[in-house]
Amino acid sequence: MGQPAWAAADGAPAGDMARIDRLAVHIKLLPLFKGEVVLPLVAIDRPDVRLLREASGRANWTFGSGKPSKSAVKLPAIQHFVINDGKLRIDDRQRDVLFLGTVSSNEHASGDGRGKFVIQGDGQLNRAPFTATLTGGPLLNISPRHPYPFDARIEAGATRVLAKGSVTKPFDLGRFETDLTVSGADLNRLYALTGLTLPNTPPYRISGKLSRKGQRYDFKGLNGRVGDSDVSGDLFVLLGRERPYLEAELRSRRLDFDDLGSLVGAAPSTRAGETASAGQKIEAGQRAATRRLLPDATLQVERVRAMDAKVSYRALAVNAPNFPLKKVRIDLALDKGVLTLDPIRFTFSRGDLAGKVRLDARPATPRTDLDLRLTNAKLEDFIPIRSGGQPAIEGGVMARIKLSGAGNSVHRAASNANGAVTVVSPRGQIRQAFAELLGVNASKGLLLLLTKDQRETAVRCAIADFTVKNGVMTSTQILADTGVVLARGRGTINLETERMEFRIEGDSKKPRLVRLFIPITIQGPILSPKVKLDTRKALAQTGVATALGALVSPLTVLLPFISTGEAKDADCAGIVADARGSGAPVRVSQATPAAKSGR
């Protein structure tokens, strides 16, 4: 059987689509009168089959109109099926799958003397070792009216598939039921076997009952582990459409937080006791060496465009050491290349981070839009700096992140993102020692810290507001108004280089006899910034003081270090109102009392 003309022009290997040295078929005549086809023998010697599918979906195994058939393969009952020295090549450019291997089948004797039917295949799937073995009951007494039992084992690289079930009506492959177990290094690698776009994950093992009825596959009672998280639920897949459609309801009793990062291309944790594949450990090591935060794994846009889906996921509890995350909810919809997470919600010990993420994979460069709000949260849950059992800072915190960027990875999209980021704390409490250090009051703050003084002072309001343009976050306002110090700052965060640069200057609200006014600088990588004191002003102050001391009176040496307490309270009500206008979800009822406190 020759290749179609288009296949030869498309670079298919020279030669025929299929070649068979010898084909022998026996047929029983009597069952034909009852509408049944029973073949006592089918023997194929040295078949060589080369299958090709273009990226557009056109395949050399479809005939007539050229459109793929929507019906499943139906074979007659075969009582002796032999394949000798078969060769098979599958070049599926729509799925980016290349298989080169051999296939053979025959009856084998078994311990009970009944024999068994075995089909074996091995070769390479996308340059990784591939083996498949299908073992069935004896074919001799097979009947179209009785189910046919089978066991299957497939190994493709690190992926293992084990199945034990039956074909409801031999050999109508459109109807079967099987207990299925699938395991491997990454669910995403199942694409070559299933054609389904699945997320990147840590190593997994999942079991359940798979059944097929025509173009619908149901996987019920799904249960297993992905990384260090349990997962259970039900899903089904519909074929015979323009794109496969997957719908699932999944849940975890306990989610390990680092497993969630795999969804955006971040490698899972590789600490002792954590689950990660060898490749993920290498990736994590490379990221650790470069001190990068944002994942750079490339989004497979062709796969996102090739499937539709609706998935609901709930994590009833979360294992997140040193992080107050308690529950996760994600509702996902994928339609014609547009992926929407709405809502996406993270529930903390106190407060929620919720909103919507939209990824449009239809353009050549995909675009991501996100709008997330943090509400009713507490600072002390996110800043676990404690001394003497007391939080260093307490109070409510709210925030909004609204960004839009183009790129085929999280890092590339962030590198050119535009939008705004606002964080507001309408009121709270801070250890006075830390508040004094915001103004770098060396005589007061350091002394309080050294004596472990636990006194607190009010935080009337605090805000960090940024505009984001071309991947650079630039502060429009950074302010913290406490009972003793009014601190202001400015700075930038470059999302492409993942480096920050900030400067904070504070002024005391009360007279201090000795006060070193030394601005704080925060510079370096996002994951490991360096906090330093800018001593240049202090040195200049000291130099002026020395000169004055020689000319006037020794008392004047202290003048540059005396603070008269000229800093005034910030307009907290106005600040919070402006923040709300910029996008932070702050309610007036919360802002008003903050404006009256802390004096």
Side-chain angles (χ1 to χ4, degrees):
M1 182 181 295
Q3 293 279 18
W6 64 262
D10 198 32
D16 298 318
M17 170 186 167
R19 178 182 294 274
I20 299 174
D21 280 7
R22 176 179 175 270
L23 172 64
V25 179
H26 293 183
I27 187 169
K28 285 187 176 181
L29 294 179
L30 186 59
L32 286 176
F33 293 100
K34 298 186 291 182
E36 297 177 352
V37 179
V38 178
L39 305 180
L41 172 68
V42 173
I44 306 173
D45 288 339
R46 290 176 291 280
D48 187 353
V49 180
R50 302 182 177 188
L51 304 179
L52 170 68
R53 178 160 60 180
E54 293 181 308
S56 65
R58 182 169 59 172
N60 68 350
W61 63 83
T62 57
F63 303 94
S65 65
K67 296 181 179 179
S69 173
K70 294 185 178 181
S71 59
V73 176
K74 296 182 180 180
L75 300 176
I78 302 173
Q79 294 178 323
H80 192 190
F81 186 28
V82 180
I83 301 175
N84 291 318
D85 300 326
K87 294 182 180 180
L88 178 62
R89 174 190 174 97
I90 302 174
D91 186 358
D92 189 341
R93 299 174 185 177
Q94 189 178 56
R95 293 189 187 178
D96 192 25
V97 170
L98 178 63
F99 173 77
L100 300 171
T102 61
V103 181
S104 61
S105 72
N106 210 331
E107 294 276 355
H108 293 269
S110 60
D112 57 9
R114 299 177 59 195
K116 60 182 178 180
F117 172 66
V118 179
I119 296 180
Q120 292 179 310
D122 59 67
Q124 286 194 327
L125 180 65
N126 290 351
R127 295 171 295 280
F130 176 93
T131 61
T133 302
L134 175 65
T135 304
L139 297 178
L140 182 61
N141 298 321
I142 196 169
S143 168
R145 294 184 293 272
H146 296 92
Y148 177 73
F150 70 88
D151 293 345
R153 180 183 181 90
I154 299 173
E155 297 184 6
T159 302
R160 303 286 186 272
V161 180
L162 300 175
K164 184 178 182 64
S166 62
V167 179
T168 308
K169 184 179 180 181
F171 282 114
D172 181 358
L173 301 184
R175 289 180 174 270
F176 64 78
E177 295 181 351
T178 180
D179 293 325
L180 182 69
T181 298
V182 186
S183 61
D186 188 340
L187 275 172
N188 183 261
R189 299 181 188 176
L190 286 176
Y191 181 79
L193 296 176
T194 66
L196 299 178
T197 303
L198 300 175
N200 291 105
T201 68
Y204 66 92
R205 181 181 176 86
I206 297 173
S207 300
K209 185 173 289 293
L210 177 68
S211 63
R212 178 179 182 180
K213 293 181 180 179
Q215 297 297 315
R216 176 170 174 141
Y217 290 81
D218 282 276
F219 194 25
K220 294 186 175 180
L222 178 155
N223 187 59
R225 299 192 69 80
V226 177
D228 297 303
S229 308
D230 67 274
V231 63
S232 60
D234 301 293
L235 66 84
F236 69 85
V237 176
L238 296 179
L239 302 180
R241 301 156 50 104
E242 182 180 359
R243 293 174 300 279
Y245 173 78
L246 179 148
E247 188 168 318
E249 289 190 8
L250 305 174
R251 58 192 173 274
S252 295
R253 293 187 302 272
R254 187 171 179 82
L255 167 70
D256 199 69
F257 182 57
D258 68 280
D259 294 335
L260 197 61
S262 302
L263 298 178
V264 292
S269 172
T270 57
R271 297 191 305 268
E274 299 281 0
T275 301
S277 66
Q280 289 164 344
K281 290 178 180 178
I282 293 174
E283 180 187 350
Q286 292 172 340
R287 287 189 61 205
T290 57
R291 303 299 295 168
R292 301 301 292 266
L293 172 66
L294 301 176
D296 224 341
T298 300
L299 175 71
Q300 298 163 312
V301 291
E302 297 81 6
R303 297 188 184 184
V304 176
R305 298 168 186 159
M307 192 181 90
D308 296 334
K310 182 180 179 181
V311 178
S312 171
Y313 174 74
R314 306 287 185 271
L316 304 181
V318 181
N319 177 32
N322 302 319
F323 195 58
L325 185 60
K326 298 301 179 184
K327 296 181 181 180
V328 173
R329 172 186 175 183
I330 300 175
D331 287 348
L332 177 152
L334 176 58
D335 183 32
K336 299 178 182 177
V338 179
L339 176 67
T340 304
L341 305 178
D342 185 17
I344 178 170
R345 180 182 296 273
F346 299 91
T347 300
F348 302 106
S349 303
R350 291 172 287 188
D352 296 273
L353 177 66
K356 176 180 179 179
V357 178
R358 183 179 186 271
L359 187 150
D360 188 349
R362 294 172 299 180
T365 302
R367 172 165 290 278
T368 301
D369 299 281
L370 65 86
D371 188 354
L372 301 175
R373 295 170 181 259
L374 176 67
T375 57
N376 303 319
K378 294 294 183 180
L379 282 168
E380 57 266 38
D381 292 338
F382 297 92
I383 309 176
I385 303 174
R386 301 183 180 274
S387 176
Q390 296 296 320
I393 187 169
E394 300 175 89
V397 60
M398 290 161 283
R400 186 174 187 182
I401 304 172
K402 191 172 185 179
L403 298 174
S404 177
N408 57 1
S409 75
V410 172
H411 179 239
R412 294 176 196 127
S415 295
N416 63 80
N418 296 300
V421 177
T422 304
V423 181
V424 176
S425 179
R427 63 181 182 274
Q429 296 287 325
I430 186 173
R431 273 190 63 193
Q432 186 174 338
F434 288 103
E436 295 281 1
L437 284 176
L438 288 175
V440 193
N441 188 336
S443 64
K444 185 73 173 179
L446 292 179
L447 180 60
L448 293 176
L449 283 177
L450 291 174
T451 58
K452 299 183 180 180
D453 189 284
Q454 299 298 313
R455 283 180 293 173
E456 294 184 336
T457 187
V459 177
R460 299 183 63 254
C461 62
I463 180 172
D465 185 56
F466 297 86
T467 59
V468 186
K469 186 174 182 180
N470 295 327
V472 178
M473 298 174 57
T474 303
S475 63
T476 59
Q477 183 167 218
I478 298 176
L479 179 145
D481 185 8
T482 75
V484 293
V485 168
L486 177 63
R488 298 182 184 274
R490 62 184 183 276
T492 61
I493 300 176
N494 190 314
L495 297 177
E496 181 178 10
T497 61
E498 295 192 17
R499 296 184 68 85
M500 63 170 61
E501 185 169 344
F502 287 95
R503 181 184 178 89
I504 300 173
E505 299 181 359
D507 205 356
S508 176
K509 292 184 175 181
K510 299 178 180 180
R512 302 297 188 203
L513 178 61
V514 178
R515 178 177 181 276
L516 290 177
F517 187 87
I518 309 176
I520 300 172
T521 62
I522 306 172
Q523 297 175 322
I526 293 176
L527 287 179
S528 56
K530 303 296 184 183
V531 180
K532 298 181 180 179
L533 303 180
D534 186 350
T535 58
R536 289 173 298 179
K537 273 196 172 183
L539 293 176
Q541 286 175 313
T542 303
V544 172
T546 303
L548 287 174
L551 294 174
V552 192
S553 154
L555 181 60
T556 60
V557 176
L558 298 176
L559 291 179
F561 306 102
I562 294 177
S563 172
T564 59
E566 67 275 11
K568 305 299 181 183
D569 287 342
D571 178 15
C572 283
I575 289 172
V576 173
D578 289 343
R580 183 180 56 190
S582 300
V586 180
R587 295 189 294 272
V588 175
S589 60
Q590 291 175 307
T592 302
K596 299 178 181 179
S597 64
R599 288 190 180 266

